[in-house]
Amino acid sequence: NAGVTQTPKFQVLKTGQSMTLQCAQDMNHNSMYWYRQDPGMGLRLIYYSASEGTTDKGEVPNGYNVSRLNKREFSLRLESAAPSQTSVYFCASTASTSGRYEQYFGPGTRLTVT
Amino acid sequence: QKEVEQNSGPLSVPEGAIASLNCTYSDRGSQSFFWYRQYSGKSPELIMFIYSNGDKEDGRFTAQLNKASQYVSLLIRDSQPSDSATYLCAVNGYRGGKLIFGQGTELSVKP
């Protein structure tokens, strides 16, 4: 997980509570992503940011908001948590130049909504 | 139809054999293709990427891409028990854009 940090590592919320998941990278990558992973579902893209100042919806954006605070930081907010949002959340950052591609994932946040 | 599909497995191979993992995708405009390895309880790790039709080799790993058939595969030669993990295929339409994952294939290499 070199260079991508996520906080918190674990969180338990009650239905209706809000929280923000934090992600930061120190590799000067332009693109950052938020995914959720549920058993048997692979990784599903929630939101991504191709560059500082831009964000776009992924496959499953409902119930989430994001902020690309600066080039390093990309946060994910749950405004009113629901049990369906119980999942493992991964942040990732990428950089691509001709012939070379780098991508790193953070260690994940395990979220339980009761 | 899911944008990226993989056989969920589990795929079981004996130690030393070749493991073959397959992935199909629906978007003909896709340009970049990736394989990740994920150990249980850990985050995914990028192991291979391929942009052009044909084969790309890196050590014991070979990625194969056939854009006409919308098919990408990963071969692992001389499989080791330490290769036991879930392998995720991912596809995107342009570099730095939306990266979509398949559901993953669980590989088990038996000693």
Side-chain angles (χ1 to χ4, degrees):
Chain A
N1 307 125
V4 181
T5 58
Q6 288 183 239
T7 55
K9 287 190 168 53
F10 300 93
Q11 184 71 49
V12 178
L13 291 178
K14 294 187 188 305
T15 297
Q17 287 185 317
S18 62
M19 77 163 295
T20 299
L21 281 65
Q22 306 286 354
C23 175
Q25 53 93 8
D26 59 5
M27 296 168 287
N28 204 36
H29 287 171
N30 284 324
S31 301
M32 297 185 73
Y33 303 80
W34 276 106
Y35 291 92
R36 60 177 289 174
Q37 187 170 38
D38 304 294
M41 301 287 289
L43 287 157
R44 291 185 292 170
L45 181 64
I46 305 171
Y47 272 93
Y48 69 104
S49 171
S51 61
E52 185 180 355
T54 68
T55 60
D56 286 286
K57 294 178 180 179
E59 301 169 272
V60 289
N62 291 343
Y64 305 95
N65 284 301
V66 290
S67 295
R68 183 76 183 266
L69 303 169
N70 47 55
K71 194 169 187 178
R72 291 187 64 247
E73 298 172 289
F74 189 38
S75 63
L76 178 72
R77 183 160 177 84
L78 286 69
E79 291 291 351
S80 178
S84 61
Q85 294 178 305
T86 293
S87 189
V88 180
Y89 291 84
F90 288 104
C91 176
S93 72
T94 70
S96 176
T97 56
S98 48
R100 191 160 174 264
Y101 186 89
E102 285 187 348
Q103 183 177 60
Y104 295 100
F105 280 80
T109 295
R110 283 151 181 78
L111 175 66
T112 301
V113 183
T114 61
Chain B
Q1 180 191 3
K2 275 182 67 67
E3 290 189 52
V4 180
E5 296 211 45
Q6 298 179 249
N7 293 327
S8 57
L11 173 67
S12 183
V13 300
E15 184 174 357
I18 296 175
S20 178
L21 302 155
N22 303 317
C23 175
T24 58
Y25 60 94
S26 60
D27 182 2
R28 283 198 171 273
S30 299
Q31 297 183 15
S32 309
F33 308 86
F34 306 86
W35 283 100
Y36 296 78
R37 177 176 60 202
Q38 186 177 26
Y39 293 112
S40 181
K42 302 295 185 183
S43 51
E45 173 193 10
L46 179 66
I47 53 174
M48 289 284 288
F49 65 92
I50 186 167
Y51 300 136
S52 305
N53 272 330
D55 295 359
K56 179 180 179 182
E57 188 175 315
D58 184 1
R60 295 186 296 112
F61 298 100
T62 299
Q64 299 176 316
L65 174 61
N66 184 326
K67 288 188 178 180
S69 300
Q70 295 174 248
Y71 177 94
V72 57
S73 64
L74 179 70
L75 302 178
I76 306 175
R77 291 183 299 282
D78 188 25
S79 296
Q80 302 297 309
S82 58
D83 294 326
S84 297
T86 295
Y87 289 80
L88 298 159
C89 171
V91 174
N92 76 0
Y94 56 93
R95 296 181 192 186
K98 195 166 67 169
L99 189 63
I100 303 297
F101 283 77
Q103 71 270 39
T105 298
E106 184 184 348
L107 172 67
S108 177
V109 181
K110 303 294 187 186

